[in-house]
Structures are given as C-alpha cells and as structure tokens.
Amino acid sequence: MIIAAIRSGSDPVVPLPPATFHRWLEDPISCPRCEVTYNLVLDYDLAISRHFPNESRRHLQMLRKAIMLGHATNHHIPHFETNGVVVTPHAAPRPELTLSSPPLTRRIQ
C-alpha cells in the first residue's frame, strides 16, 4: 500500500503511485502546530476496500509524524510517500543559477 501526502497548494514533485485511478481522501493531515495541511492520495481500489481503515492505520501514523517533524524545517518538504515502514520525503528541485551576462573583465591580448 502506497500513500502519498501532498501539501495543499502545491503539485506532486514525483509521479504519484502507480494505479489506474487515484483517490484523494476526504480527511487531510494537518500540522498540529500551524495551519499547513497535506492531502492524501492512494490507489482507488485500496481506498474503497472494507479493510482500508485497519490496514492504513500504521501508514497514516507515520505520515502524521513526518509532517509534525517537518514543522521544524518550516514544511520545506511538499511531498511524502509511505510504503511499508519507510516514509520517503520528496523535495522540490532547486532552480539552478545561470549566468546570462558576459563576464565583467576582458583579457587584453
């Protein structure tokens, strides 16, 4: 079971978990210290299964803890994924600096 938590107002950084259809869960996870919320997305078939509340409990606890710990870094990570016992953070790529102007000095030949 792969569950992705994506900060509201941002796009997924990496592709979503493989599935034919995704479902966004109605109950987002919010940071207990501030107003940041994360929306949850997972495979549609897993979300509508009758065993989902019991099977997903551990995954949701790990995502809540990762979001709470992310408060220390001002919620720099916009996308978390959990699969089994590991929570994987996905940070947004940093824009690379490019020099668009010519160098300030010239060599005299």
Side-chain angles (χ1 to χ4, degrees):
M1 174 183 301
I2 300 173
I3 301 176
I6 302 165
R7 188 171 58 210
S8 60
S10 65
D11 293 327
V13 177
V14 296
L16 293 175
T20 305
F21 295 103
H22 290 99
R23 179 173 182 188
W24 293 84
L25 295 181
E26 290 85 16
D27 298 328
I29 297 176
S30 59
C31 179
R33 299 179 185 171
C34 61
E35 299 176 1
V36 174
T37 59
Y38 283 77
N39 297 321
L40 301 172
V41 63
L42 67 148
D43 184 296
Y44 181 78
D45 293 332
L46 292 173
I48 63 169
S49 118
R50 67 179 176 167
H51 301 291
F52 175 72
N54 294 332
E55 293 175 354
S56 66
R57 184 176 298 138
R58 181 71 180 140
H59 299 284
L60 296 176
Q61 286 176 348
M62 290 188 309
L63 286 171
R64 282 187 189 100
K65 184 175 181 180
I67 290 168
M68 186 179 72
L69 292 175
H71 181 79
T73 60
N74 199 17
H75 297 287
H76 177 55
I77 307 293
H79 186 159
F80 290 101
E81 274 187 14
T82 181
N83 184 9
V85 296
V86 178
V87 174
T88 307
H90 298 288
R94 294 184 180 181
E96 295 184 21
L97 297 176
T98 58
L99 296 176
S100 59
S101 61
L104 297 175
T105 59
R106 290 187 177 189
R107 293 178 67 185
I108 301 175
Q109 296 181 1

